[in-house]
Amino acid sequence: MSMANKLKIKKGDLVQVIAGARQSRGGDRGKQGKVLAVYPERNRVLVEGVNRVIKHKKATQTQAGGTAGGRETHEAPIHVSNVALVDPKDNKPTRVGYREEKVERDGRTKTVRVRYSRRTGEEI
């Protein structure tokens, strides 16, 4: 079993699709959405409202006697290289950097790794 990859995008981040077909051609490039799930072992992320696919469900009998089936739309995972984190300052895609900062709590100094936007230097 190989070690899972360290991704710079986390659950809850706002990301923008930077690759694929343009929206004018029916694609998702340029769309922004929140990351719902991260799959580091497959290098993929699940983004809200992006890469929507139609799944066909067979009609089955429910307890109440009704039938539940038909077509359902779900988001499918997208490769992490096709999305970029959105800078909180100017709402444009940015790269992610890490820096170590010294934080003082309860009279003790701690070194904390902080994610920041490489575009504006703003902390994420």
Side-chain angles (χ1 to χ4, degrees), residues 56-103:
H56 292 76
K57 277 201 81 164
K58 189 174 181 179
T60 54
Q61 212 74 37
T62 59
Q63 290 284 51
T67 55
R71 292 162 39 131
E72 294 180 353
T73 51
H74 298 284
E75 285 99 358
I78 186 171
H79 199 272
V80 74
S81 67
N82 295 330
V83 295
L85 194 79
V86 172
D87 194 309
K89 208 175 220 178
D90 59 4
N91 270 2
K92 287 186 178 165
T94 180
R95 299 202 317 250
V96 180
Y98 287 96
R99 63 176 167 226
E100 292 187 351
E101 292 181 353
K102 298 212 182 286
V103 179

Side-chain angles (χ1 to χ4, degrees), residues 6-15 33-40 44-48 80 83 85 96 98 115 124:
K6 178 91 169 102
L7 302 181
K8 294 182 176 188
I9 291 174
K10 310 271 178 243
K11 182 179 173 180
D13 282 348
L14 183 66
V15 294
K34 211 162 99 177
V35 176
L36 301 173
V38 179
Y39 307 108
R44 291 182 176 268
V45 289
L46 193 68
V47 183
E48 192 176 33
V80 74
V83 295
L85 194 79
V96 180
Y98 287 96
R115 286 193 313 158
I124 299 167

